Amino acid sequence: MRKAAVICEFNPFHNGHKFLLKKIKEEYEANVICVMSGSFVQRGDIAITDKYARTKAALENGADMVVELPTTYAVASAQIFAENGVRIAAALGCDMLCFGAESPQKELESALGALENADTQEKIAAVIKSGSSYPRAVSEAIGEEYAEIVGKPNNILALEYIRACKKYPLSPVAVPRKGVNHDDVTTTGNLASASAIRQMIQNGEAYHAYTPMKIENPAFLSEIEPALLFILKTMDKDELALLPDVSEGLENRIYDVAVQYNSIEEILEQIKTKRYTMARLRRILISALLYNTKELQNTPVPYIRVLGVRKDKQELLQNSGLPLIVDVRRGYDQMNNSGKEIFDVDIRAAEAMNIAEKTSHNEFSHGVIKY
């Protein structure tokens, strides 16, 4: 039976995700393995609820196994996020990677070809040098024909998935998004974007029509803001320079601003320039909180942690190309130092989630979810 991978956040798991998993199983008769971000997500925010609740929802609604994309890669640029997710999928023997996209696959592949063109790369470098952010530089350099394609949020990751699949033996499969686009605040029938659902939860509005999840203790970054402020105000410039995405003296700007302001929103607004997107800056702050470094993020993912598996799909736990962690304590003890350092970021992320969610999940004793 084929194995199809889905790299995801499920923040939260919603009806659109349920549709995607069902479509994959129906069209390809494949086992679906989800490579999911844990406690923090790529936009530089804490997940709305813990990874165990999201794993359970995925297993109940079409996933056959869920493994974790370690936090160091989950709070990374699209390229690092995608490449390490695809590396995990390949190690698990997946032969295809399915992902949602706003544009057809042929258009995405054409856009990627244009993006990888040497002239385009030179233009991108020149625009960045003039002070623009990478996404804006890409839009300006790639030409009008492709600018709209590369400017859509899901397409940005889709392009990186297709690029990463060239390095591993996976076939990329772009699945058109159904009903609503990424970050849409409107709803269509029983479909709403994860962003819209999170907003409903935060506003105390009814959200149950759009997700099978019941989120009783949602997590918000505001709950851990004091800890984040403490870290930012006590790190020196050399420590800040070690953080992912910090370059060109940005550590000086962060250091100077952090000591002057007492809210994350103010700090982000003061740091922001046209060169740095807000998502990039949020990821930097999260990396500071979790002691996540460039060195860790540039280390290829060294293990696979299983979060959950269906009881009738235990065979998926066999023949992994990377060390497979099912018993966390035993797996951790057998890791080398760099593996432990990467896993330690997950431990710190999980403790931050416990504080935000007012729970007490233990990374070493929770165990694999079986459905």
Side-chain angles (χ1 to χ4, degrees), residues 345-363:
V345 177
D346 285 339
I347 294 173
R348 291 189 285 271
E351 289 302 338
M353 174 61 73
N354 282 338
I355 294 169
E357 204 177 33
K358 300 176 178 62
T359 53
S360 56
H361 295 303
N362 186 304
E363 290 294 272

mmCIF file of all heavy atoms in Angstrom, residues 345-363:
data_model
loop_
_atom_site.group_PDB
_atom_site.id
_atom_site.type_symbol
_atom_site.label_atom_id
_atom_site.label_comp_id
_atom_site.label_asym_id
_atom_site.label_seq_id
_atom_site.Cartn_x
_atom_site.Cartn_y
_atom_site.Cartn_z
ATOM 1 N N VAL A 345 14.896 21.420 22.712
ATOM 2 C CA VAL A 345 14.060 22.543 22.257
ATOM 3 C C VAL A 345 12.587 22.145 22.319
ATOM 4 O O VAL A 345 11.732 22.939 22.736
ATOM 5 C CB VAL A 345 14.451 22.984 20.828
ATOM 6 C CG1 VAL A 345 13.530 24.104 20.341
ATOM 7 C CG2 VAL A 345 15.896 23.452 20.776
ATOM 8 N N ASP A 346 12.280 20.898 21.931
ATOM 9 C CA ASP A 346 10.903 20.405 22.024
ATOM 10 C C ASP A 346 10.425 20.354 23.469
ATOM 11 O O ASP A 346 9.254 20.644 23.762
ATOM 12 C CB ASP A 346 10.784 19.015 21.403
ATOM 13 C CG ASP A 346 10.808 19.033 19.884
ATOM 14 O OD1 ASP A 346 10.524 20.096 19.311
ATOM 15 O OD2 ASP A 346 11.117 17.993 19.285
ATOM 16 N N ILE A 347 11.315 19.960 24.382
ATOM 17 C CA ILE A 347 10.942 19.908 25.797
ATOM 18 C C ILE A 347 10.599 21.299 26.299
ATOM 19 O O ILE A 347 9.578 21.508 26.975
ATOM 20 C CB ILE A 347 12.084 19.289 26.625
ATOM 21 C CG1 ILE A 347 12.274 17.811 26.253
ATOM 22 C CG2 ILE A 347 11.794 19.422 28.119
ATOM 23 C CD1 ILE A 347 13.480 17.171 26.904
ATOM 24 N N ARG A 348 11.435 22.282 25.973
ATOM 25 C CA ARG A 348 11.161 23.656 26.403
ATOM 26 C C ARG A 348 9.872 24.174 25.765
ATOM 27 O O ARG A 348 9.077 24.880 26.408
ATOM 28 C CB ARG A 348 12.343 24.558 26.063
ATOM 29 C CG ARG A 348 13.585 24.248 26.906
ATOM 30 C CD ARG A 348 14.667 25.288 26.715
ATOM 31 N NE ARG A 348 15.363 25.170 25.442
ATOM 32 C CZ ARG A 348 16.444 24.424 25.242
ATOM 33 N NH1 ARG A 348 16.947 23.688 26.207
ATOM 34 N NH2 ARG A 348 17.040 24.407 24.059
ATOM 35 N N ALA A 349 9.651 23.821 24.495
ATOM 36 C CA ALA A 349 8.423 24.240 23.809
ATOM 37 C C ALA A 349 7.199 23.637 24.486
ATOM 38 O O ALA A 349 6.168 24.300 24.652
ATOM 39 C CB ALA A 349 8.478 23.823 22.341
ATOM 40 N N ALA A 350 7.300 22.361 24.881
ATOM 41 C CA ALA A 350 6.177 21.696 25.542
ATOM 42 C C ALA A 350 5.893 22.319 26.910
ATOM 43 O O ALA A 350 4.725 22.442 27.318
ATOM 44 C CB ALA A 350 6.474 20.203 25.696
ATOM 45 N N GLU A 351 6.943 22.728 27.624
ATOM 46 C CA GLU A 351 6.725 23.387 28.921
ATOM 47 C C GLU A 351 6.061 24.749 28.736
ATOM 48 O O GLU A 351 5.220 25.167 29.536
ATOM 49 C CB GLU A 351 8.050 23.524 29.673
ATOM 50 C CG GLU A 351 8.613 22.207 30.194
ATOM 51 C CD GLU A 351 7.661 21.480 31.142
ATOM 52 O OE1 GLU A 351 6.765 22.116 31.729
ATOM 53 O OE2 GLU A 351 7.807 20.253 31.274
ATOM 54 N N ALA A 352 6.439 25.453 27.663
ATOM 55 C CA ALA A 352 5.763 26.722 27.360
ATOM 56 C C ALA A 352 4.290 26.478 27.073
ATOM 57 O O ALA A 352 3.416 27.244 27.510
ATOM 58 C CB ALA A 352 6.444 27.406 26.170
ATOM 59 N N MET A 353 3.992 25.403 26.326
ATOM 60 C CA MET A 353 2.601 25.040 26.050
ATOM 61 C C MET A 353 1.864 24.701 27.343
ATOM 62 O O MET A 353 0.705 25.099 27.537
ATOM 63 C CB MET A 353 2.547 23.859 25.076
ATOM 64 C CG MET A 353 1.147 23.293 24.829
ATOM 65 S SD MET A 353 -0.021 24.487 24.097
ATOM 66 C CE MET A 353 0.603 24.577 22.414
ATOM 67 N N ASN A 354 2.503 23.979 28.251
ATOM 68 C CA ASN A 354 1.869 23.651 29.528
ATOM 69 C C ASN A 354 1.468 24.913 30.282
ATOM 70 O O ASN A 354 0.392 24.979 30.882
ATOM 71 C CB ASN A 354 2.824 22.818 30.389
ATOM 72 C CG ASN A 354 2.883 21.361 29.973
ATOM 73 O OD1 ASN A 354 1.962 20.853 29.335
ATOM 74 N ND2 ASN A 354 3.966 20.682 30.329
ATOM 75 N N ILE A 355 2.354 25.913 30.270
ATOM 76 C CA ILE A 355 2.050 27.180 30.957
ATOM 77 C C ILE A 355 0.879 27.878 30.278
ATOM 78 O O ILE A 355 -0.064 28.332 30.941
ATOM 79 C CB ILE A 355 3.285 28.096 30.976
ATOM 80 C CG1 ILE A 355 4.390 27.482 31.845
ATOM 81 C CG2 ILE A 355 2.917 29.496 31.479
ATOM 82 C CD1 ILE A 355 5.737 28.174 31.704
ATOM 83 N N ALA A 356 0.932 27.977 28.944
ATOM 84 C CA ALA A 356 -0.107 28.700 28.200
ATOM 85 C C ALA A 356 -1.458 27.988 28.287
ATOM 86 O O ALA A 356 -2.513 28.632 28.355
ATOM 87 C CB ALA A 356 0.312 28.856 26.744
ATOM 88 N N GLU A 357 -1.417 26.663 28.291
ATOM 89 C CA GLU A 357 -2.642 25.862 28.260
ATOM 90 C C GLU A 357 -3.107 25.456 29.659
ATOM 91 O O GLU A 357 -4.190 24.901 29.825
ATOM 92 C CB GLU A 357 -2.385 24.598 27.421
ATOM 93 C CG GLU A 357 -3.612 23.968 26.823
ATOM 94 C CD GLU A 357 -3.261 22.776 25.952
ATOM 95 O OE1 GLU A 357 -2.289 22.072 26.261
ATOM 96 O OE2 GLU A 357 -3.964 22.553 24.955
ATOM 97 N N LYS A 358 -2.227 25.727 30.655
ATOM 98 C CA LYS A 358 -2.512 25.366 32.051
ATOM 99 C C LYS A 358 -2.709 23.856 32.190
ATOM 100 O O LYS A 358 -3.671 23.377 32.806
ATOM 101 C CB LYS A 358 -3.712 26.146 32.593
ATOM 102 C CG LYS A 358 -3.509 27.662 32.577
ATOM 103 C CD LYS A 358 -4.749 28.416 33.040
ATOM 104 C CE LYS A 358 -4.490 29.917 33.064
ATOM 105 N NZ LYS A 358 -4.172 30.487 31.747
ATOM 106 N N THR A 359 -1.781 23.116 31.570
ATOM 107 C CA THR A 359 -1.788 21.657 31.643
ATOM 108 C C THR A 359 -0.422 21.193 32.155
ATOM 109 O O THR A 359 0.417 22.013 32.527
ATOM 110 C CB THR A 359 -2.067 21.028 30.270
ATOM 111 O OG1 THR A 359 -1.142 21.573 29.309
ATOM 112 C CG2 THR A 359 -3.486 21.307 29.818
ATOM 113 N N SER A 360 -0.208 19.888 32.173
ATOM 114 C CA SER A 360 1.063 19.376 32.699
ATOM 115 C C SER A 360 1.508 18.126 31.952
ATOM 116 O O SER A 360 1.853 17.109 32.550
ATOM 117 C CB SER A 360 0.941 19.072 34.194
ATOM 118 O OG SER A 360 -0.134 18.169 34.434
ATOM 119 N N HIS A 361 1.483 18.176 30.619
ATOM 120 C CA HIS A 361 1.953 17.033 29.833
ATOM 121 C C HIS A 361 3.466 16.854 30.024
ATOM 122 O O HIS A 361 4.228 17.806 29.971
ATOM 123 C CB HIS A 361 1.664 17.248 28.343
ATOM 124 C CG HIS A 361 0.208 17.299 28.008
ATOM 125 N ND1 HIS A 361 -0.667 16.271 28.309
ATOM 126 C CD2 HIS A 361 -0.545 18.254 27.404
ATOM 127 C CE1 HIS A 361 -1.879 16.582 27.894
ATOM 128 N NE2 HIS A 361 -1.835 17.782 27.349
ATOM 129 N N ASN A 362 3.873 15.608 30.229
ATOM 130 C CA ASN A 362 5.283 15.275 30.395
ATOM 131 C C ASN A 362 5.786 14.602 29.125
ATOM 132 O O ASN A 362 5.257 13.567 28.719
ATOM 133 C CB ASN A 362 5.464 14.349 31.604
ATOM 134 C CG ASN A 362 6.924 14.090 31.911
ATOM 135 O OD1 ASN A 362 7.680 13.626 31.062
ATOM 136 N ND2 ASN A 362 7.332 14.390 33.135
ATOM 137 N N GLU A 363 6.792 15.189 28.496
ATOM 138 C CA GLU A 363 7.297 14.666 27.229
ATOM 139 C C GLU A 363 7.827 13.241 27.340
ATOM 140 O O GLU A 363 7.814 12.489 26.382
ATOM 141 C CB GLU A 363 8.398 15.573 26.687
ATOM 142 C CG GLU A 363 7.905 16.926 26.203
ATOM 143 C CD GLU A 363 7.014 16.793 24.976
ATOM 144 O OE1 GLU A 363 7.537 16.796 23.855
ATOM 145 O OE2 GLU A 363 5.790 16.671 25.163
#
